Amino acid sequence: MSDERHDMIPDNADDLSIHAPALHSMKGKANGFVVPENYFEELPDLIVARVALPEGGEFPVSEEYFAESEDLINAGVVIPSESGFSVPEGYFENFEVSLEARLHLESHLRKTESEVPEGYFGELERELKAHISLDNLKQDEGFVVPDKYFGSLTDRILSQTYLSDEELHGDELPAGYFDSLADRLIAKVEPETKSETKQVRVIVFAEYIQRYGKITAVAASVALLILSVWFFTRSNEVVPVNDFASNDTRVQDDTVTVNAFQPEERIVKRAEPQVQNIAKNNDGVKPSSEGNIKLSKEAIMAETDQMDEALVAEFIYEDAVDEQDSENDEMIQYILDDQTSLDVIDPGNKK
Amino acid sequence: MSELSDKELVAMFREDKSRQQAFRLIVNRYQRKLYWHIRRMLVDHDDTDDVLQNTFIKTWKGLDNFKEDAQLYTWLYRIATNETMSFIRQRKSELMVRYGDLEYQIEDKLHDGNNFKGDEIQKKLQLAIQQLPEKQRIVFTMKYFEDIRYEDMSEILDTSVGALKASYHHAVKKIEEYIRNTSEERTL
């Protein structure tokens, strides 16, 4: 400001009415600045609170506080320490005793430590590890659970246990609901059945027996009789040649058949007349208890002077013809009448 | 009880038992004057509040060393002015990097209804003050708004009375011209 030419300032420079009429007209009026409400009323307390704080921001402590604290100390009252922490009453007085008791206890524990069974701690460690592993397994067994599975589980279960209105309000069913249920179901099903398939007649077996029982019994008896006749007449039939392909030729009841594929042996059953003749000329050949005789091909050939085994059957045939008085005359006659039975033996060499 | 003089308040402050009480009385007595002294320079209330609190804190710290032959209020104004100037310089250094000219920022605050609710004439006056150089602005506000004597102002600003008068005179002419010009522009 020293450089300003203040020597040229007029004496009445402060008279604004002369040099600055506009400024003069505004002088003393409100300046238009906004100040928060109660700012000046609260500022002194704020300033005092700030200046009362010592360096470092610690809270101020009045002289009365220290005087009161001294009185409390003299009265034996434990007051908060400077750090703000409190100490239990009698802590320092009993500290020595507590420390001795603690040391004694730890010494005792060290002595008794050797009394633990051998391997106890090793076993304990394994048990703990196993326990920890099991705990971990319980928490996460390695299974993967879909995201948000448990979150939606309740809803899904509830949706599956949905109860119908009737189930929820069973006591509110219409009167006679179950009595008419069958009729209503049939009424619903019947049209569909007619339209899709032929009408099916339901036959109740008990009613059928009651109505047609006598007729059925007569029919069953007749059928049984016919079957019996057929069965007995059927046993006298000669089995076709091809049916003997791999079976032994045998005598069925009174029928004599010969296996054409086992020439070494001939089995004759119940053909005792012929067999007896053969047995008379062949020592050692005796019929069994059932009358069966096994005759070798050589024996039969020797008896019949037939060199061809295919003619052995003829021997039997011829022998049977000669012995008309045998017990099986009728049967042999049947064989003679039915020439096809000989074809079984050797159709090509039939005479 | 008659109102205590500044000297009596300083004496009370130096007594430990009456220190806070004396300080509270000093704050109550000068808070408004110092607030407006700072506010007219900074315009923004929050900035003014920060500077004012710092002013009183420095007062608390330095009042023990205050010379009894000096006037308390000039000493307080000196602290407040120095704090204000320090704040402006600090803010200028920050704004130069971030926002630019501080004067534009202050003008924006004058247009902000939360800070200023004066009429057009009052706003024009404040805008004219913001156009003044820093030292003229201080002298003008202290003389025009606060009627501080040049002698006291000389003590506060450590400047001669003649220099203050000249500074104030030049400030008045600039502001009058600014108001006249802006009024003519509007009438045209």
Side-chain angles (χ1 to χ4, degrees):
Chain A
M1 293 182 191
S2 56
D3 56 345
E4 291 184 352
R5 298 165 63 185
H6 53 271
D7 53 339
M8 298 177 62
I9 301 299
D11 294 338
N12 58 355
D14 292 342
D15 191 350
L16 295 179
S17 60
I18 299 172
H19 302 284
L23 272 176
H24 179 71
S25 64
M26 289 189 284
K27 189 172 174 62
K29 293 183 178 178
N31 55 28
F33 287 108
V34 178
V35 180
E37 192 175 2
N38 297 326
Y39 172 74
F40 292 110
E41 287 74 12
E42 298 171 355
L43 184 63
D45 293 335
L46 178 64
I47 298 293
V48 170
R50 285 192 62 180
V51 298
L53 289 174
E55 290 290 340
E58 297 177 1
F59 289 99
V61 182
S62 64
E63 292 295 328
E64 291 78 9
Y65 171 81
F66 290 110
E68 185 180 0
S69 300
E70 188 174 356
D71 294 340
L72 292 172
I73 292 170
N74 293 333
V77 177
V78 177
I79 61 172
S81 64
E82 292 182 357
S83 61
F85 294 105
S86 59
V87 180
E89 187 175 358
Y91 172 77
F92 291 108
E93 289 77 5
N94 300 324
F95 179 75
E96 187 176 355
V97 178
S98 301
L99 184 61
E100 288 180 357
R102 174 70 181 272
L103 293 173
H104 178 72
L105 178 62
E106 291 186 355
S107 174
H108 176 71
L109 289 174
R110 279 196 296 272
K111 288 180 181 177
T112 56
E113 190 174 353
S114 59
E115 298 174 3
V116 176
E118 189 175 0
Y120 170 77
F121 291 105
E123 186 66 26
L124 179 63
E125 183 180 359
R126 282 193 295 273
E127 289 182 0
L128 286 174
K129 287 180 177 178
H131 189 67
I132 292 171
S133 299
L134 286 174
D135 286 345
N136 293 334
L137 190 63
K138 289 174 182 175
Q139 295 172 2
D140 182 7
E141 301 175 32
F143 295 108
V144 177
V145 180
D147 192 23
K148 297 180 180 178
Y149 168 78
F150 293 106
S152 60
L153 181 61
T154 304
D155 294 337
R156 284 186 280 108
I157 290 175
L158 289 176
S159 66
Q160 293 179 14
T161 57
Y162 170 77
L163 297 176
S164 63
D165 291 341
E166 289 78 10
E167 290 171 318
L168 286 173
H169 309 288
D171 54 345
E172 298 177 5
L173 285 174
Y177 173 80
F178 291 109
D179 297 336
S180 61
L181 179 61
D183 296 336
R184 285 186 280 110
L185 287 175
I186 291 172
K188 285 184 178 180
V189 173
E190 206 167 28
E192 298 176 2
T193 308
K194 286 180 179 177
S195 61
E196 292 176 358
T197 60
K198 295 180 180 177
Q199 187 172 1
V200 177
R201 182 183 177 186
V202 178
I203 299 174
V204 180
F205 188 71
E207 295 178 356
Y208 182 83
I209 291 297
Q210 186 176 5
R211 187 176 300 174
Y212 305 104
K214 295 179 179 178
I215 299 173
T216 305
V218 172
S221 300
V222 173
L224 184 62
L225 181 62
I226 294 171
L227 284 174
S228 299
V229 172
W230 173 81
F231 177 78
F232 288 111
T233 54
R234 170 187 161 276
S235 63
N236 294 327
E237 291 178 354
V238 176
V239 180
V241 176
N242 294 335
D243 290 346
F244 289 93
S246 60
N247 292 328
D248 291 342
T249 301
R250 63 183 63 247
V251 176
Q252 292 179 340
D253 294 334
D254 296 331
T255 302
V256 179
T257 55
V258 180
N259 189 338
F261 299 96
Q262 293 184 354
E264 285 77 15
E265 290 184 339
R266 296 291 184 265
I267 299 174
V268 179
K269 181 183 179 182
R270 301 174 71 92
E272 286 181 330
Q274 300 89 333
V275 171
Q276 292 300 325
N277 292 331
I278 297 173
K280 291 176 182 177
N281 300 318
N282 293 274
D283 294 335
V285 180
K286 295 180 179 178
S288 66
S289 59
E290 295 177 355
N292 295 332
I293 295 176
K294 288 186 177 181
L295 295 175
S296 65
K297 184 178 64 179
E298 290 76 11
I300 295 174
M301 286 181 173
E303 181 65 25
T304 59
D305 296 326
Q306 295 296 328
M307 299 303 295
D308 189 348
E309 64 181 40
L311 298 177
V312 172
E314 287 191 35
F315 160 72
I316 297 174
Y317 164 73
E318 291 173 354
D319 187 57
V321 172
D322 293 340
E323 299 292 331
Q324 294 292 326
D325 54 347
S326 67
E327 295 178 2
N328 297 312
D329 285 347
E330 292 180 3
M331 185 60 61
I332 292 171
Q333 185 61 46
Y334 173 77
I335 295 172
L336 294 173
D337 293 339
D338 190 356
Q339 297 297 317
T340 57
S341 62
L342 297 175
D343 294 339
V344 173
I345 298 174
D346 189 358
N349 293 323
K350 180 180 177 295
K351 292 181 180 176
Chain B
M1 181 178 176
S2 61
E3 188 175 0
L4 295 173
S5 65
D6 287 350
K7 286 188 177 180
E8 290 173 332
L9 290 175
V10 172
M12 281 180 61
F13 181 84
R14 288 174 176 168
E15 297 291 332
D16 290 339
K17 293 183 179 180
S18 57
R19 176 182 288 266
Q20 286 195 18
Q21 182 184 359
F23 184 73
R24 187 182 297 274
L25 290 173
I26 291 171
V27 172
N28 274 324
R29 180 174 292 181
Y30 289 103
Q31 64 176 350
R32 294 176 185 270
K33 292 181 178 177
L34 295 178
Y35 175 86
W36 289 116
H37 176 65
I38 300 167
R39 180 73 186 270
R40 291 187 182 100
M41 298 289 290
L42 300 179
V43 176
D44 183 73
H45 167 76
D46 293 331
D47 294 342
T48 303
D49 183 49
D50 290 340
V51 173
L52 181 62
Q53 290 192 33
N54 291 335
T55 298
F56 280 117
I57 289 172
K58 289 196 173 180
T59 300
W60 171 275
K61 292 178 179 178
L63 198 56
D64 286 332
N65 300 322
F66 176 71
K67 295 177 181 177
E68 293 183 359
D69 55 347
Q71 295 185 74
L72 180 60
Y73 98 93
T74 57
W75 185 67
L76 293 173
Y77 265 89
R78 188 182 182 104
I79 296 173
T81 303
N82 289 336
E83 286 295 313
T84 303
M85 299 306 294
S86 297
F87 182 86
I88 290 174
R89 294 189 189 103
Q90 182 181 353
R91 181 60 59 87
K92 274 189 174 180
S93 64
E94 295 172 359
L95 291 174
M96 284 296 287
V97 177
R98 298 179 184 177
Y99 308 109
D101 199 348
L102 176 63
E103 282 71 23
Y104 290 125
Q105 301 293 324
I106 294 175
E107 288 182 13
D108 289 341
K109 291 176 181 176
L110 284 172
H111 296 293
D112 181 5
N114 295 325
N115 265 297
F116 191 80
K117 290 185 176 179
D119 54 20
E120 285 298 316
I121 297 298
Q122 292 168 336
K123 185 180 290 184
K124 193 179 296 183
L125 174 59
Q126 294 300 326
L127 290 172
I129 293 171
Q130 299 303 320
Q131 311 304 316
L132 298 174
E134 194 173 279
K135 291 180 181 177
Q136 287 186 10
R137 194 189 319 165
I138 295 173
V139 173
F140 178 81
T141 56
M142 293 177 76
K143 183 63 179 177
Y144 181 79
F145 293 110
E146 303 166 47
D147 277 336
I148 297 176
R149 295 185 302 120
Y150 284 115
E151 289 76 12
D152 294 338
M153 204 183 305
S154 174
E155 187 177 343
I156 295 167
L157 300 175
D158 196 17
T159 305
S160 66
V161 173
L164 293 173
K165 287 181 178 179
S167 180
Y168 177 71
H169 180 69
H170 292 297
V172 167
K173 289 174 65 175
K174 288 180 181 177
I175 291 173
E176 185 74 11
E177 185 178 2
Y178 179 88
I179 294 173
R180 189 182 301 156
N181 292 337
T182 53
S183 299
E184 289 175 353
E185 289 175 0
R186 177 162 294 183
T187 55
L188 292 175

